Amino acid sequence: MEEKTILIADDDMDLLEQTTAVVEGAGYKTITADSEKSAMEILENTQPDLAIFDLMMENMDSGFILSRKVKEINHKIPVIIVTAVTSETGLHFETDNTKSSWIKADAIINKGIRYEQLLSKIEDLLK
Amino acid sequence: MESIKVLIVDDEPGMRLGTQRVLKKHKIDVDIESEYQGLELIIDLAESGEEAREKILADKPDIMILDHKLPGIQGVDLLDELKTDKTDIHTIMVTAYASIEVAISATKRGAFDFLAKPFTPDELKHTFNKAVKHLVLKWKADKLAEEKKQIRFEFISVLAHELKSPLAAVEGYLRIIDKRMAGDELSGYDKMIKRSMTRLEGMRKMIFDILDLTRIESGKMKRELKQVDIIEVLKDSIDSVSPDADQRGIHIHLNREEPLFIDGDQTELEIISNNFMTNGVKYNKDNGSLNINLKEADDFIIIDFIDTGIGMTEENKNRLFGEFVRIKSDETKNITGSGLGLSIVKKLVGFYNGSVEVKTVLGEGSVFSVKLKKGDNNG
Ligand SMILES: Nc1ncnc2c1ncn2[C@@H]1O[C@H](COP(=O)(O)OP(=O)(O)OP(=O)(O)O)[C@@H](O)[C@H]1O
Ligand SMILES: [Mg+2]
């Protein structure tokens, strides 16, 4: 079976480490970025099979900016955005892609999630 | 702009209207801060204690000019009621007999001042001014207390947030380890365990720093003043940071060897010295330098911590001494700290009639100049 490559961007060192470990533990290859900027650079010459972005990095909406970029390159690449926003500020995003055209992500999930949830989402989206 | 509500209670129409007329023409001048300058008076009248009671219930006045002798309920009885109601009305008791007993009993019941009938317009204005001044001071005190409460609340919110972040990180690692989510190879978990320990260490340091900070603020930190050799203190700090400094090729130099004594508390001076020393290394560049230069000026010692580090912008420089303030940038993102060091230092330096001055250039380095008084530092 061909190994799928997942791009992970998070400016929190620990969350990056954790997500990477879990994703690799599940048998995927990873490319990591610790900022929006370095994720952008990676996207210039790499096409991952899936991307996981932290929502807030240098910008409040870094995750969305990166997501848009991914979809420009190839709209078939699934994007998962992780955020603490929903739980901490009570803000709520529409995660159904068909309803909200401005948010170009396939899933938005809470930070501090059980990583099992992230893995099953990845599996779903890579089908 | 605020206004002052005044209620005049007197059964004699002449007294009521006369008092009102004097106050209406009176321009309040109580020598207070500008934000309370030009206060507007809203004057209301009542001809009996009963009517006054109703009006107070409907809309509490700030100042009440209350006749002692009224047809129904007496002035002092009304005061009694108000006292139990805990309303903070500044009452000026008006009495026909300038008797000391009435004054005492009125004051006991919470009257602010009293006026003896007959009184001149000037006497009225004078007494009224005193009440206004007192009232305004009370407003200011209330406002300050409210602000303090707000600051405390903000401090606790930030603290909770800062403590939550390492907890979440460690919890995340433990979950992964618990479920062996990173595979069966034990070495695959080494980094997670190291990171967990680092985050816990940072959390512990933060808690100790918070304790220091609150102890200093509450004045509960026991100070033991004696002659302390500041050179020894600085050398100890250098020793404690040198493993990190050596590893990164940072050269530390102290410009003086012979003892220099200061009347101070050993622990406090250590905290001050350690903070500047760690910062000077932490925020330095590899192969940079940290020079510590001592000068004496009159009754003061000036210690310059000169580093060739990352520096900062003028805007960030002004935020530095606030609690939990850390400057976020590519250079600082892998440096640990709680942002409490300099806020602790600032409070401590205050015990030494001292100050901290910062000169800094982004990308080039910073100079932190600490000025400490040599003697008489017990207050
Ligand atoms: N010498 C320096 N050069 C550049 N930046 C500095 C220097 N000293 C302090 N800073 C900046 O000021 C911030 C506040 O410093 P402070 O010592 O209060 O906290 P800290 O070092 O982050 O944490 P700690 O509580 O562990 O000391 C730092 O996070 C850093 O961004
Ligand atoms: Mg520090």
Side-chain angles (χ1 to χ4, degrees), chain B residues 205 209 275 279-280 282-283 307 310-312 320 325-327 332 336-343 366 368:
Chain B
K205 182 178 177 298
D209 282 351
N275 266 300
N279 284 350
K282 274 204 296 193
Y283 304 105
D307 68 55
I310 59 177
M312 69 198 83
L320 227 51
V325 171
R326 305 204 69 216
I327 296 158
T332 60
T336 57
S338 49
L340 287 170
L342 289 177
S343 59
S366 317
F368 285 79

Side-chain angles (χ1 to χ4, degrees), chain A residues 11-15 17-19 21-26 34-35 37 88 112-116 119, chain B residues 161 164-165 168-173 175-176 179 181-183 188 191-192 195 199 328 330 333-334:
Chain A
D11 64 351
D12 182 311
M13 201 178 173
D14 292 303
L15 287 173
E17 167 70 20
Q18 289 174 14
T19 313
V22 168
V23 168
E24 284 179 358
D34 63 2
S35 66
K37 195 167 147 261
E88 274 194 8
I113 32 137
R114 322 228 154 211
Y115 284 103
E116 290 89 338
L119 287 179
Chain B
H161 182 85
K164 240 168 61 187
S165 133
V170 173
E171 199 184 346
Y173 285 125
R175 277 214 185 116
I176 294 170
K179 298 262 164 65
M181 294 180 96
K191 193 169 171 204
M192 296 189 198
R195 278 299 299 170
R199 294 306 305 258
K328 272 192 167 177
D330 262 3
K333 75 178 173 200
N334 289 326

Side-chain angles (χ1 to χ4, degrees), chain A residues 1-3 10 26 29 48 59 67 70 72 84 94-95 101-102:
Chain A
M1 189 187 81
E2 185 206 348
E3 256 188 356
D10 201 315
K29 277 212 296 199
N59 294 300
S67 188
V70 169
E72 267 169 34
E94 190 60 68
T95 50
S101 56
W102 65 278

Side-chain angles (χ1 to χ4, degrees), chain A residues 46-57:
Chain A
T46 324
Q47 262 203 40
D49 297 299
L50 183 146
I52 303 171
F53 297 135
D54 178 24
L55 177 59
M56 285 193 219
M57 291 186 272

